[in-house]
Amino acid sequence: MKGLTQRLEEARSYRGAWLRSSNFESFWETSVAFAQNAQVESITQLPSATQTATFKRITFTSTDQTQLSARVILPVGTYKAESLSAADLPAVVLFSDLGRGVRSWLHLLRFAALGMPVVALEARPCKPQLKDTWRGALSAEELARALINPGDAATSILKQLIDDALVAASVASRFLGRTTVTWGEGLGGSQALFTAALLPKEVSATMALNPLFADNATTLRAVVGCGDTPQSDAAIDAVGLLDSACAAELIRVPALIGTALLDQSALTEATFALYNRLAGQKEMRVYPKFGHERINQFENEQINYLREVISTL
């Protein structure tokens, strides 16, 4: 059995088994067009005792006509440390891992303290058997089998969840009148990367910790085969349409990626497959002693990273 050090060294140069298919962008055209025309349908002002920010909840409709909601925090004042007005700063758009609820208002204030507005998607409920995904209860293969249909990518559960993220990021950008920095962990990491890939005008940077669904053809090799038949080729192309590593090939904005070596839901090899395909400015953080879980050190490093990103935008 390979040790962690050997796995990491081999992973550092890994790019995945299959690259992005030629129809990747055309597959997502309808979803992107819908997202770019979606609008906020309602705005609810929430009570607050603080004078430093206002709190709202907005609603909008996704591609399957399901109404979704998001938490919004709007900081008051300016970000003096960088001599930028609040209107110049991007907003943070946050996506949660599968089965885990949206982050608390208190947590979201850490971004607002930088002067950055925050929009956090309140994700739709998941199936009971998937509710512990955020705890690392399912393997990468189990998750891929549950959320991806190799026979028809368009009907996959994962396709809808990515659609939700595209709509949320696009709506947030127009609602706030600024670009966004997308951030997520697990499933949310995949959503953040897809938004950065497919909404280049709306997203100015992205951050992902242990993103799921990268290198799908390898994860699902027992299902899709090795590309030695027309049927296998078609299945590999289908799962590639929902592959975070394939999406990464289109990302040109700064990216901060984190991987945990003990994670069996988002394998480090798969995370490096997407990282190595990023064409823009990028940074990787590796956590040897963690699995598929929240990593406080990564979240702390985010703040310094955001300060750097802000200064270059």
Side-chain angles (χ1 to χ4, degrees):
M1 179 180 294
K2 296 179 182 179
L4 292 182
T5 301
Q6 183 182 356
R7 273 189 60 211
L8 178 58
E9 288 308 309
E10 293 179 0
R12 286 191 185 279
S13 60
Y14 184 61
R15 293 179 59 84
W18 300 85
L19 298 179
R20 186 177 92 256
S21 64
S22 59
N23 65 327
F24 186 91
E25 287 127 305
S26 61
F27 174 80
W28 287 104
E29 278 181 357
T30 301
S31 297
V32 170
F34 183 98
Q36 292 177 330
N37 285 285
Q39 301 293 332
V40 170
E41 296 168 355
S42 70
I43 305 171
T44 304
Q45 181 86 24
L46 302 177
S48 170
T50 179
Q51 302 299 313
T52 60
T54 58
F55 300 81
K56 303 176 186 289
R57 178 172 279 110
I58 60 174
T59 62
F60 45 88
T61 298
S62 191
T63 53
D64 64 347
Q65 300 307 305
T66 296
Q67 188 175 75
L68 302 178
S69 60
R71 298 180 178 187
V72 179
I73 299 180
L74 303 176
V76 176
T78 60
Y79 183 60
K80 297 178 181 178
E82 301 294 344
S83 298
L84 293 174
S85 72
D88 293 324
L89 296 174
V92 173
V93 178
L94 187 149
F95 305 109
S96 301
D97 202 354
L98 188 63
R100 185 158 203 166
V102 66
R103 301 299 288 265
S104 70
W105 291 98
L106 180 61
H107 175 84
L108 300 180
L109 279 170
R110 69 201 310 266
F111 301 114
L114 296 176
M116 305 174 75
V118 186
V119 177
L121 176 64
E122 296 180 326
R124 62 179 73 205
C126 68
K127 293 182 177 179
Q129 61 267 35
L130 301 175
K131 64 182 178 62
D132 287 328
T133 296
W134 64 276
R135 299 180 186 272
L138 287 84
S139 69
E141 183 177 358
E142 289 170 331
L143 287 169
R145 285 176 177 266
L147 272 72
I148 298 175
N149 176 8
D152 185 5
T155 62
S156 298
I157 296 172
L158 180 56
K159 162 67 163 51
Q160 185 59 60
L161 296 176
I162 295 170
D163 278 359
D164 292 351
L166 293 171
V167 174
S170 189
V171 165
S173 179
R174 284 192 303 283
F175 176 64
L176 298 171
R178 66 190 71 208
T179 63
T180 66
V181 176
T182 55
W183 144 238
E185 53 193 348
L187 169 67
S190 302
Q191 292 173 308
L193 292 165
F194 266 90
T195 58
L198 298 171
L199 299 173
K201 294 182 179 179
E202 290 90 341
V203 180
S204 53
T206 189
M207 305 180 294
L209 174 65
N210 297 331
L212 299 175
F213 308 110
D215 200 25
N216 289 335
T218 298
T219 304
L220 291 171
R221 182 163 291 163
V223 177
V224 303
C226 301
D228 50 355
T229 67
Q231 294 80 7
S232 177
D233 277 338
I236 288 170
D237 283 345
V239 301
L241 297 172
L242 305 173
D243 194 316
S244 302
C246 292
E249 295 179 40
L250 298 175
I251 297 175
R252 299 294 182 269
V253 298
L256 175 66
I257 309 296
T259 182
L261 292 186
L262 301 181
D263 193 337
Q264 296 302 306
S265 302
L267 298 175
T268 291
E269 292 84 351
T271 303
F272 268 103
L274 74 84
Y275 178 78
N276 288 327
R277 297 196 216 175
L278 292 167
Q281 174 190 333
K282 58 187 178 181
E283 297 182 28
M284 172 67 89
R285 302 288 187 270
V286 178
Y287 301 96
K289 298 180 180 181
F290 289 86
H292 194 78
E293 58 191 290
R294 217 159 254 173
I295 300 176
N296 290 335
Q297 185 179 349
F298 184 83
E299 296 190 350
N300 291 337
E301 291 185 25
Q302 280 184 322
I303 300 303
N304 291 331
Y305 182 75
L306 285 171
R307 288 180 181 273
E308 294 174 7
V309 168
I310 289 171
S311 68
T312 60
L313 294 178

